[in-house]
Amino acid sequence: MKRKLIAGNWKMNGSLAANEALVAQLLAEACVVSCDAALCVPAPYLAQVRALLGEDSPFSLGAQNVSQHENGAFTGDVSATMLKDFGVRYVIVGHSERRLHQGESDTHVAIKVRRALAEGITPIVCVGESLAEREGGMTELVVKRQLASVIHLNGHCISEIVVAYEPIWAIGTGKTATPQQAQDVHAVLRAQLKAASDHADRIPILYGGSMNAANAADLLAQPDIDGGLIGGASLKAPDFLTILKAAS
Ligand code: PEP
């Protein structure tokens, strides 16, 4: 069976003191974790969390965004090369919060994926529909359009990506997709990846959206759910550890 991947998305949360406490609690229990795991932290804390994790940590370091540009006059942007300098292994790309608040388009997302892959960083590509789109029967159309753009620009390299299905209506709302709702969309995404790559079976498809200690096991039991992208629950060590154990 494929190893599951659990990635925590700290979003814009944390402080030097809070990060230190959280990472210490995670590392204290890390021996029970046998899935792949990552912490996607705010850019200013990459160096701190890298140092806290140390060598041979069970947790890989992740970032939450990468510039679509290589370098130059892009004030405030952080390039894939810079992330690489800090030992970043994963980067979240196309999170719905960035699509919504920063106006990131499918094309921006596809270019960011290319930048990350060029530096050997694994992009966690987020796709997902709004509530109105789900209620309008558009879910499949929306997620396939979002993923198609990434496939189109990145060709056979997509076997190196991670996909995260994150229904927008489930993010931070406490409203989780049922295991069957999530599995149905994951199966659609798997089929789309299979049509584009001979190695689609090894592409992890994560579920994200109010995954927590109570519902993780049922979601992770679905055949096409290869792990989770965890927001709120990744900030509480006991909850995150329970999810990691469910995936192990
Ligand atoms: C996320 O931000 O990617 C996410 C899934 O958040 P939450 O788990 O809080 O819904």
Side-chain angles (χ1 to χ4, degrees):
M1 210 169 79
K2 214 177 346 179
R3 259 168 91 88
K4 306 243 189 237
L5 167 63
I6 300 294
N9 174 14
W10 289 4
K11 311 197 191 203
M12 200 173 71
N13 293 295
S15 66
L16 290 173
N19 302 345
E20 194 173 339
L22 178 55
V23 172
Q25 289 178 71
L26 294 175
L27 290 180
E29 302 278 337
C31 56
V32 297
V33 172
S34 59
C35 63
D36 290 330
L39 303 178
C40 299
V41 312
Y45 296 130
L46 286 170
Q48 181 210 13
V49 175
R50 182 189 193 188
L52 290 171
L53 291 175
E55 299 294 318
D56 300 323
S57 170
F59 296 97
S60 299
L61 189 60
Q64 298 174 10
N65 182 35
V66 62
S67 176
Q68 69 260 36
H69 305 289
E70 233 174 311
N71 54 40
F74 301 102
T75 303
D77 271 17
V78 176
S79 74
T81 319
M82 294 170 185
L83 295 180
K84 192 71 191 169
D85 262 352
F86 283 88
V88 165
R89 163 92 203 277
Y90 296 98
V91 62
I92 299 171
V93 176
H95 193 283
S96 59
E97 287 156 11
R98 295 200 59 84
R99 291 181 190 260
L100 191 68
H101 305 305
Q102 265 70 35
E104 282 188 11
S105 66
D106 292 342
T107 306
H108 291 137
V109 173
I111 297 170
K112 287 173 178 224
V113 168
R114 191 167 64 178
R115 290 273 175 250
L117 289 173
E119 291 300 327
I121 297 171
T122 303
I124 300 176
V125 182
C126 300
V127 300
E129 81 288 2
S130 66
L131 186 58
E133 287 163 342
R134 173 160 283 265
E135 288 175 348
M138 310 267 289
T139 299
E140 197 170 314
L141 196 83
V142 170
V143 298
K144 283 171 85 172
R145 188 206 71 222
Q146 291 171 329
L147 186 56
S149 162
V150 172
I151 292 171
H152 180 69
L153 195 75
N154 292 279
H156 64 89
C157 295
I158 56 137
S159 58
E160 304 305 322
I161 72 173
V162 171
V163 176
Y165 168 55
E166 296 211 307
I168 298 170
W169 49 271
I171 296 179
T173 57
K175 240 193 221 177
T176 317
T178 64
Q180 192 57 54
Q181 280 175 322
Q183 166 57 29
D184 289 348
V185 179
H186 280 232
V188 166
L189 295 170
R190 180 83 63 207
Q192 188 179 8
L193 291 167
K194 275 191 173 151
S197 165
D198 292 340
H199 306 290
D201 278 331
R202 75 165 196 235
I203 302 174
I205 307 179
L206 315 184
Y207 169 77
S210 298
M211 193 189 269
N212 58 38
N215 61 27
D218 285 346
L219 285 159
L220 293 168
Q222 297 301 310
D224 286 300
I225 300 187
D226 303 314
L229 181 55
I230 320 295
S234 71
L235 297 169
K236 299 175 208 134
D239 292 23
F240 195 51
L241 284 162
T242 302
I243 296 170
L244 288 161
K245 282 180 209 158
S248 292

